[in-house]
Amino acid sequence: MSALSELYEEIARCQKCELARCRNRAVPGEGAEDADIMFIGEAPGWHEDQQGRPFVGPAGQFLDELLALIGLKRQQVYIANVIKCRPEANRDPLPQEILNCRQWLERQIELIHPRIIVTLGRYSMALFFPGKTISKVHGTAEKRDGTVYYAMYHPAAALHQQSLREVVKADMLKIPALLEEIDAVPAAKQGPEAKQLNMFEV
Ligand code: URA
């Protein structure tokens, strides 16, 4: 059994918070174990809770469309959430729930070791761009300790607010160039001094 599958089993057994008692299925995440790009959303919704898979409802269909824009299928990336169990009635995750789940996400990131972490929505953004606001930080990237962090609006936000659709698409379309830029930055320049990538300065 792979380390990732073992992690999924641990997540499925997790009883750290009330969410464990309401869930049908834990939703650890899925995708390529060697993915270059890891997308991190907020929390499972109804569909995800039923299937135990991330982003399989309407927001997931839009995420699939967004991935297709850059020639990718969901099997080629890794998709996870900040929270692994559905908050009842899709309420916002509580700070303690985010804290409880953080160890799972950290271990996932360690195992997948993606080149880019794409945060989807403000809860995911808050973990990796503390103190920033999504309206300012979306479409921008920062490099820290060898990993690039790139912020986007949540696909569900674009479903509720039509004006965000083109913004989300435009942000997704920047990802291939971002990957190219990572390849192009010489290793010597990849220290803390290259914290912010040129193309996407905050
Ligand atoms: N929204 C999320 O943030 N994650 C999912 O898995 C589904 C919807």
Side-chain angles (χ1 to χ4, degrees):
M1 187 188 279
S2 73
L4 202 55
S5 306
E6 277 176 27
L7 181 62
Y8 294 168
E9 294 206 342
E10 275 187 68
I11 293 172
R13 287 195 300 269
C14 178
Q15 297 290 334
K16 279 190 169 191
C17 55
E18 277 300 309
L19 298 185
R21 282 166 272 296
C22 314
R23 71 179 173 223
N24 282 301
R25 312 266 299 264
V27 183
E30 69 178 24
E33 297 200 10
D34 61 349
D36 280 340
I37 312 175
M38 179 168 181
F39 291 86
I40 303 178
E42 181 179 317
W46 186 87
H47 296 275
E48 291 77 22
D49 175 67
Q50 295 290 313
Q51 296 186 36
R53 299 178 55 212
F55 282 95
V56 288
Q61 279 166 23
F62 186 42
L63 180 59
D64 288 347
E65 275 177 45
L66 292 169
L67 287 171
L69 285 179
I70 57 169
L72 290 175
K73 293 191 190 314
R74 64 158 54 214
Q75 296 87 334
Q76 293 172 286
V77 300
Y78 192 85
I79 305 173
N81 281 306
V82 171
I83 296 281
K84 309 304 187 197
C85 300
R86 179 186 181 224
E88 62 276 16
N90 294 346
R91 64 160 170 74
D92 289 344
L94 303 173
Q96 187 59 45
E97 292 163 353
I98 294 173
L99 204 63
N100 290 342
C101 259
R102 188 150 184 161
Q103 58 152 330
W104 305 129
L105 186 60
E106 281 172 2
R107 281 173 59 192
Q108 263 172 323
I109 293 170
E110 253 173 56
L111 291 170
I112 304 294
H113 198 61
R115 298 166 77 203
I116 306 186
I117 289 180
V118 181
T119 64
L120 299 174
R122 63 200 166 96
Y123 285 92
S124 176
M125 177 213 67
L127 290 184
F128 301 98
F129 296 88
K132 301 270 169 74
T133 51
I134 189 106
S135 57
K136 292 223 172 84
V137 84
H138 77 89
T140 70
E142 269 187 36
K143 184 165 192 170
R144 274 173 256 130
D145 302 326
T147 304
V148 171
Y149 299 88
Y150 182 64
M152 286 181 55
Y153 280 104
H154 196 287
L159 294 181
H160 297 128
Q161 204 179 322
Q162 284 296 314
S163 59
L164 282 184
R165 264 187 99 89
E166 294 310 312
V167 175
V168 173
K169 285 184 183 173
D171 286 348
M172 181 64 100
L173 284 166
K174 287 182 185 174
I175 290 178
L178 186 52
L179 268 172
E180 273 177 32
E181 189 184 348
I182 298 169
D183 287 337
V185 178
K189 282 211 181 152
Q190 292 192 5
E193 73 279 10
K195 218 170 160 205
Q196 233 126 59
L197 295 182
N198 299 332
M199 284 180 70
F200 303 110
E201 273 175 352
V202 180

